[in-house]
Amino acid sequence: MKLKQAGLTAILTVFIAALLLFLNHYNIVGIPPVALLFSRWLAIAGLVFFGLMKRSLTSWILISMVIGAEIGNDYPEFAMQLQVLSKVFLKMIKTIVAPLLFATLVYGIAGHADLKQVGRMGWKSIVYFEIVTTIALFIGLAAINLSKAGVGIEVPKGIHEELPSVPPQTTNDIILHIFPENIAKSVAEGQILQIVIFSVLFGVALAMVREDKRLPMLNFTESLAEVMFKFTNIVMYFAPIGVGAAIAYTVGHMGLGILVNLFQLLATLYVALIVFLLGVLLPIALIVGVPIKKFLQAIAGPVSIAFATTSSEAALPRAMENLEKLGVPRKIVAFVMPTGYSFNLDGTTLYLALASVFVAQAAGMELTLGQQLIIVFTLMLTSKGVAGVPRASLVILLGTASSFGMPTWPIFIILGIDELMDMARTSVNVIGNCLATIVIAKWENEFHPVED
């Protein structure tokens, strides 16, 4: 009963704050700033009361995002100082990723000694990834060609091209980037794809040795995986603080008013991503038979972390753990999720297709459909492995501009709201990879949802 009362209290206080804001914004009734401030913090108090009753980490993460936005809006200078807390959270998460991937992949491959299944999951994953990302690519192309958000933009005065010089990537560079030359270096640089390649080969090699040699390493990787999941649980207690600090910093240094600027480009991306979620991922989930309610509950926490931190990597450990609880075997989660982080970046692929054509439109370049397709297919290759780095897609965009002779000044315009766009595309990356993991598990007849 207390939880229900807390929920009603939260709804009531939020409604009052929203109503006062609406009345004041449209000059229906003049509300003193102090009264507006009090109403907003009263609403936050209502949410905190609900969080105390609910005792759910996901609830606290979402509540902390609201608190962070309010701190960023009311106390921007203080909010700017909070970035260190979000960086601490990201650093702690990044320490988990490499050992967790290594342990779960090696144990999943060598522990079951079914190398045929590994190969089967590999080709099934690649086929699925390429089909879905290609659809995302075309949705991005269609969206920017319909909205023409870049047409008519003039070169802003005072723009100096001071963005870092990024040399165009060759096919050889892309291929060489997949394979590790030093696993310690790959771990230090957060190269997820290279860690996956090393772990898969290590697991295959371990499966091929004698049992007396294999068992000690298997026991070690099994123990390491369990320890890293417990490590994740400890770090996640800090998630509400890290996520709230990230949102506070974003609002503090950009302001809520940034939503008004470049609204057409921002709206184009968000609408395109929503179309992709409802028109592609939802039908796939329904066709495959994914329990939608349980799936949404499982991904709510990871997606909110990805949205606030703009890093898919930050959401990876908790997403893997939640999918395993949902009924996906660990060996499939351990293989598909990290592989998808390099090959199944749905949100990033859609964004890059949209952004590259936006740059051309802003520069007054008339691109044929064929030229647009060449650019976006190149982007689909060069974007592999960028999921772990916030706003790394800007670097990819710069490299594309260099390769196709586009000016870089339009990228400065995108830079102004890139953080807001990154929040959305990173969230879609996480949703897409969580769904892909269940699809492959279904394909392998190994998805067994946990009954209530």
Side-chain angles (χ1 to χ4, degrees):
M1 189 65 183
K2 287 183 179 180
L3 179 60
K4 187 176 181 180
Q5 290 174 341
L8 291 173
T9 302
I11 292 171
L12 180 62
T13 53
V14 169
F15 173 76
I16 291 171
L19 179 62
L20 292 178
L21 186 64
F22 174 83
L23 293 173
N24 184 72
H25 181 74
Y26 289 100
N27 297 317
I28 298 172
V29 178
I31 311 291
V34 175
L36 291 173
L37 180 67
F38 177 77
S39 69
R40 293 199 301 269
W41 281 102
L42 183 65
I44 287 173
L47 290 172
V48 169
F49 178 55
F50 174 75
L52 290 171
M53 294 295 104
K54 180 74 171 175
R55 295 180 183 178
S56 159
L57 181 62
T58 301
S59 298
W60 274 111
I61 289 172
L62 296 173
I63 291 167
S64 72
M65 291 172 69
V66 176
I67 296 172
E70 184 62 28
I71 291 173
N73 184 54
D74 295 340
Y75 313 104
E77 291 185 5
F78 173 68
M80 298 283 282
Q81 305 303 316
L82 295 179
Q83 189 186 25
V84 66
L85 297 176
S86 64
K87 287 186 174 181
V88 166
F89 176 64
L90 281 175
K91 279 179 174 288
M92 293 303 295
I93 286 290
K94 287 182 178 181
T95 63
I96 298 170
V97 173
L100 180 62
L101 291 185
F102 174 78
T104 51
L105 274 170
V106 171
Y107 181 75
I109 293 170
H112 298 83
D114 186 0
L115 300 185
K116 287 184 178 179
Q117 185 182 29
V118 176
R120 199 167 60 240
M121 283 194 299
W123 73 256
K124 286 178 178 178
S125 299
I126 295 299
V127 168
Y128 175 84
F129 294 160
E130 292 309 314
I131 290 173
V132 175
T133 52
T134 301
I135 295 171
L137 182 154
F138 281 108
I139 290 175
L141 265 188
I144 192 64
N145 279 294
L146 286 172
S147 74
K148 299 189 183 298
V151 174
I153 291 178
E154 297 180 2
V155 184
K157 294 179 180 178
I159 280 286
H160 301 289
E161 300 209 353
E162 296 175 354
L163 287 169
S165 176
V166 179
Q169 283 190 303
T170 64
T171 304
N172 288 347
D173 292 332
I174 296 168
I175 294 172
L176 290 173
H177 183 71
I178 295 174
F179 299 96
E181 59 176 325
N182 183 321
I183 188 58
K185 180 182 177 185
S186 301
V187 170
E189 294 178 352
Q191 300 290 352
I192 290 180
L193 185 55
Q194 294 181 10
I195 296 169
V196 169
I197 294 293
F198 175 85
S199 301
V200 169
L201 293 176
F202 191 97
V204 171
L206 184 61
M208 296 170 70
V209 302
R210 293 200 322 260
E211 187 174 355
D212 61 321
K213 303 292 184 185
R214 184 170 71 245
L215 284 178
M217 182 58 73
L218 269 181
N219 291 333
F220 167 73
T221 53
E222 184 181 20
S223 297
L224 180 59
E226 293 297 331
V227 170
M228 294 317 297
F229 278 123
K230 295 299 182 186
F231 191 107
T232 300
N233 290 338
I234 295 171
V235 173
M236 289 305 294
Y237 284 119
F238 190 69
I241 296 173
V243 166
I247 290 291
Y249 173 78
T250 300
V251 175
H253 88 275
M254 296 176 72
L256 291 173
I258 191 69
L259 289 168
V260 179
N261 301 325
L262 295 176
F263 177 76
Q264 192 176 2
L265 175 61
L266 196 65
T268 301
L269 176 68
Y270 273 72
V271 169
L273 289 173
I274 290 170
V275 168
F276 177 75
L277 287 172
L278 298 180
V280 179
L281 295 189
L282 180 59
I284 290 173
L286 293 173
I287 291 168
V288 171
V290 175
I292 302 296
K293 185 178 179 181
K294 290 182 179 179
F295 177 70
L296 292 176
Q297 290 172 342
I299 67 171
V303 169
S304 60
I305 291 170
F307 181 84
T309 61
T310 66
S311 172
S312 302
E313 193 178 62
L316 178 59
R318 179 43 62 100
M320 291 176 67
E321 186 178 11
N322 286 1
L323 286 173
E324 192 176 333
K325 289 178 180 177
L326 190 62
V328 182
R330 179 174 294 181
K331 59 183 178 180
I332 295 179
V333 174
F335 183 86
V336 179
M337 277 294 288
T339 307
Y341 268 43
S342 292
F343 292 100
N344 190 40
L345 303 174
D346 301 329
T348 299
T349 301
L350 189 152
Y351 160 79
L352 287 172
L354 184 150
S356 59
V357 177
F358 171 84
V359 171
Q361 288 177 349
M365 298 172 65
E366 292 288 338
L367 296 178
T368 64
L369 180 60
Q371 290 172 318
Q372 291 184 28
L373 289 176
I374 291 171
I375 291 173
V376 293
F377 277 116
T378 303
L379 281 167
M380 193 164 67
L381 292 173
T382 56
S383 65
K384 303 307 180 191
V386 303
V389 186
R391 284 170 297 287
S393 50
L394 274 179
V395 176
I396 303 297
L397 201 55
L398 281 166
T400 304
S402 174
S403 299
F404 291 93
M406 298 179 187
T408 56
W409 67 260
I411 301 176
F412 267 103
I413 297 174
I414 295 175
L415 194 61
I417 56 166
D418 186 65
E419 198 156 346
L420 292 170
M421 294 193 290
D422 206 357
M423 289 174 169
R425 64 179 181 254
T426 303
S427 300
V428 173
N429 286 343
V430 173
I431 295 170
N433 280 314
C434 289
L435 178 61
T437 305
I438 296 179
V439 170
I440 301 303
K442 274 277 193 179
W443 205 343
E444 287 287 304
N445 294 316
E446 292 201 36
F447 179 54
H448 307 293
V450 179
E451 298 295 331
D452 293 328

